[in-house]
Amino acid sequence: MSWDDSDDDWDKSDDDMDAKLGLATAAPKSSSAPVFDDDEEDLAVIEKSRMEKLNTESLRSKGKQRKAKEDAERERKEEEELELHGL
């Protein structure tokens, strides 16, 4: 018998060997992500939501400030224009 031509158990797949040895009782491997049935929200999701809310409020405030500044600048230019034409 040649070393390379042997037809022993070493050539069988791991699954076949596990089944033969009674080790195939483990749950089958799943390619999908694990599913958790926790009722609690993930802290990262809560923190992200809080940060988005703060960011939205900040942007809204900055937008209002910018609009007020632009309105004030527009009024100032109109007054300068009226003064130039009034002289």
Side-chain angles (χ1 to χ4, degrees):
M1 180 182 245
S2 169
W3 190 90
D4 293 332
D5 294 332
S6 66
D7 192 20
D8 60 8
D9 288 341
W10 293 106
D11 294 332
K12 294 184 180 179
S13 72
D14 288 340
D15 293 334
D16 293 340
M17 289 297 293
D18 288 346
K20 187 174 184 179
L21 295 172
L23 300 175
T25 58
K29 295 178 183 175
S30 175
S31 62
S32 63
V35 177
F36 299 102
D37 293 330
D38 292 341
D39 288 337
E40 292 184 33
E41 288 189 60
D42 187 5
L43 292 178
V45 173
I46 294 171
E47 182 66 17
K48 181 179 178 185
S49 174
R50 187 178 72 79
M51 292 304 290
E52 287 176 353
K53 187 175 180 180
L54 289 173
N55 189 33
T56 301
E57 291 173 6
S58 173
L59 290 175
R60 188 173 293 136
S61 174
K62 288 179 182 178
K64 288 178 182 178
Q65 291 173 358
R66 180 177 179 193
K67 177 145 177 40
K69 183 178 178 182
E70 289 173 353
D71 290 345
E73 182 68 21
R74 188 176 307 114
E75 286 181 26
R76 186 187 63 79
K77 285 183 180 181
E78 287 176 1
E79 287 178 10
E80 284 181 2
E81 202 173 293
L82 288 174
E83 287 176 6
L84 287 176
H85 292 297
L87 293 175

